[in-house]
């Protein structure tokens, strides 16, 4: 076969692939064209009802809606956390004062440790730069530290390394499980140093978690953790380095299990979700209908915006409390 013949066959194969898959591509594009503006409108509606919008008065954008400041402020107000929240008029920098410390928010997406350079680096939309420079730039926007110690509030998910014992965290960082529950359960637990890379590692982390409710076991193939946390409800957990599985199923007649909902947290977040639903008195609220299902809330019952007897048309609310 000549080179030209080979190229001819390659072109034919590519053309066939395009013909076969083009309907799927069109469907996907149509779905994105319809879903994206609907999702943006839903996010804007939620934003407009938030305390952050009412008090801080920032215009809506998806970046603000998902920002650490937005998530933290709404939660702090709901929890009655005694903070002083400040937005500088000169440049819009937001920070807060709590327990005698001034806390700033990161403006980067990730932090990773470069072992060769022995330094932390941060990710700005795919561009990496040194943490020292990034932190210095954030500090430069602060008009005054008011004579207080300054720290950067960073969630565990932001830090890429699975084992922080191999990557010393800068002293200027206050490491929290997440922004929504910051300062609620931010002890010096050694578990905060790890991100599970397998289901077996998650299982051992659960064993070491004080006050975790229910009973759980590792499957015989070590690929899943089976957790009976609620009556007639089983949670299935799976972890690998790329994807995780978090499934909630109920037992019906004849001991047949049916899935209520499932989702795929990243490895950096799955243990924190286990903590959120597994501590005594914490709740998991799920909305399920014949068409879809979603998690509405997970965390402490006292901060839950949903009621135990709440109803919904053409569906059901599962209000599950760890005991």
């Amino acid at each position: 076969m000549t080179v030209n013949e080979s190229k001819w066959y390659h072109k034919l194969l590519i053309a066939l692939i395009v013909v076969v898959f083009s309907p799927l591509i069109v469907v996907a594009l149509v779905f994105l064209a319809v879903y994206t503006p609907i999702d943006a409108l839903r996010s804007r509606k939620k934003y407009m009802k938030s305390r952050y919008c009412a008090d801080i008065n920032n215009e809506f954008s998806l970046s603000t809606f998902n920002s650490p400041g937005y998530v933290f402020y709404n939660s702090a107000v709901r929890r009655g956390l005694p903070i002083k929240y400040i937005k500088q008029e000169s440049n819009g920098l937001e920070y807060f004062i709590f327990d005698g410390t001034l806390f700033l928010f990161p403006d980067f997406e990730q932090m990773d440790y470069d072992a060769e350079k022995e330094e932390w680096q941060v990710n700005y939309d795919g561009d990496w730069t040194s943490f020292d420079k990034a932190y210095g730039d954030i500090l430069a926007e602060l008009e005054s530290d008011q004579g207080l110690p300054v720290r950067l509030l960073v969630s565990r998910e932001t830090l890429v390394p699975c084992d922080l014992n191999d990557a010393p965290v800068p002293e200027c960082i206050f490491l929290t499980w997440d922004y929504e529950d910051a300062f609620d359960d931010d002890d010096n637990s050694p578990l905060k140093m790890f991100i599970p890379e397998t289901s077996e590692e998650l299982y051992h982390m659960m064993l070491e978690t004080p006050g975790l409710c229910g009973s759980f076991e590792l499957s015989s193939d070590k690929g899943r953790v089976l957790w009976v946390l609620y009556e007639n409800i089983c949670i299935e957990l799976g972890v690998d380095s790329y994807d995780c599985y978090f499934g909630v199923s109920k037992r019906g007649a004849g001991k047949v299990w049916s899935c209520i909902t499932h989702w795929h947290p990243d490895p950096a977040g799955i243990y924190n979700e286990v903590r959120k639903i597994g501590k005594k008195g914490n709740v998991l609220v799920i909305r399920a209908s014949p068409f879809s299902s979603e998690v509405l809330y997970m965390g402490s019952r006292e901060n839950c915006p949903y009621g135990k007897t709440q109803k919904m048309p053409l569906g059901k609310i599962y209000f599950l409390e760890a005991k």
Side-chain angles (χ1 to χ4, degrees):
M1 181 182 294
T2 66
V3 173
N4 288 336
E5 288 176 331
S6 176
K7 288 182 179 180
W8 181 83
Y9 280 111
H10 287 164
K11 291 178 180 178
L12 178 60
L13 180 60
I14 292 172
L16 288 172
I17 291 174
V18 170
V19 170
V20 171
F21 288 100
S22 58
L24 297 176
I25 295 172
V26 170
V27 170
L29 291 174
V30 170
F31 175 80
L32 289 174
V34 173
Y35 177 78
T36 300
I38 292 176
D39 186 56
L41 286 172
R42 185 168 56 179
S43 297
R44 186 179 188 279
K45 183 177 180 181
K46 182 178 179 180
Y47 179 83
M48 298 302 290
K49 292 182 178 180
S50 70
R51 281 296 301 271
Y52 180 92
C53 178
D55 299 343
I56 311 303
N57 199 29
N58 279 344
E59 292 186 5
F60 169 78
S61 70
L62 287 177
S63 60
T64 301
F65 180 73
N66 295 307
S67 68
Y70 171 82
V71 174
F72 171 78
Y73 183 81
N74 289 323
S75 172
V77 171
R78 186 177 66 246
R79 291 179 287 151
L81 205 65
I83 64 169
K84 181 180 180 182
Y85 199 91
I86 298 154
K87 175 187 174 183
Q88 293 181 169
E89 293 185 5
S90 61
N91 55 16
L93 179 71
E94 296 176 23
Y95 62 91
F96 67 95
I97 296 171
F98 174 71
D99 198 23
T101 299
L102 190 153
F103 289 93
L104 296 163
F105 297 107
D107 60 353
F108 45 81
E109 301 163 14
Q110 292 176 301
M111 285 184 61
D112 201 358
Y113 188 71
D114 188 324
E116 292 184 3
K117 296 182 179 179
E118 295 185 343
E119 70 170 18
W120 283 92
Q121 296 188 340
V122 298
N123 179 12
Y124 288 100
D125 195 24
D127 295 325
W128 290 86
T129 188
S130 72
F131 168 76
D132 289 342
K133 180 183 183 304
Y135 182 55
D137 290 342
I138 297 173
L139 281 178
E141 295 185 29
L142 183 64
E143 294 172 350
S144 172
D145 62 15
Q146 304 183 41
L148 298 172
V150 178
R151 303 191 74 179
L152 195 65
L153 184 67
V154 179
S155 69
R156 180 60 182 92
E157 291 184 3
T158 305
L159 274 64
V160 174
C162 292
D163 188 349
L164 293 180
N165 290 306
D166 300 328
V169 180
E171 293 184 4
C172 61
I173 285 180
F174 183 94
L175 191 62
T176 183
W177 288 110
D178 61 40
Y179 298 111
E180 189 170 13
D181 295 320
F183 308 112
D184 267 3
D185 192 19
D186 279 321
D187 53 21
N188 292 318
S189 169
L191 293 174
K192 199 184 293 184
M193 305 297 287
F194 300 97
I195 292 174
E197 296 183 84
T198 65
S199 298
E200 186 174 11
E201 288 184 1
L202 176 62
Y203 170 73
H204 288 295
M205 291 177 72
M206 292 172 68
L207 287 175
E208 297 176 22
T209 303
L212 202 62
C213 296
S215 60
F216 48 88
E217 62 181 17
L218 188 66
S219 64
S220 57
D221 62 0
K222 298 184 179 181
R224 297 170 298 158
V225 178
L226 302 177
W227 187 13
V228 180
L229 181 57
Y230 318 105
E231 184 177 0
N232 294 323
I233 299 281
C234 181
I235 295 173
E236 182 179 343
L237 306 167
V239 179
D240 63 36
S241 57
Y242 300 101
D243 191 20
C244 296
Y245 179 84
F246 204 120
V248 183
S249 300
K250 64 178 179 179
R251 184 165 57 186
K255 296 184 179 180
V256 176
W257 293 93
S258 61
C259 182
I260 299 172
T261 189
H262 79 277
W263 62 96
H264 297 273
D266 61 41
I270 190 167
Y271 173 71
N272 189 41
E273 293 187 354
V274 167
R275 291 176 57 259
K276 279 189 171 186
I277 70 170
K279 295 293 186 74
K280 185 176 181 179
N282 283 14
V283 297
L284 171 64
V285 183
I286 299 171
R287 177 171 58 193
S289 75
F291 312 103
S292 64
S293 60
E294 64 176 323
V295 174
L296 298 178
Y297 176 82
M298 59 174 71
S300 67
R301 177 171 179 170
E302 62 183 15
N303 294 324
C304 181
Y306 302 95
K308 188 173 184 179
T309 59
Q310 193 158 342
K311 306 291 184 181
M312 69 166 292
L314 299 177
K316 182 176 181 179
I317 295 288
Y318 290 87
F319 190 95
L320 306 172
E321 181 176 355
K323 298 179 179 179

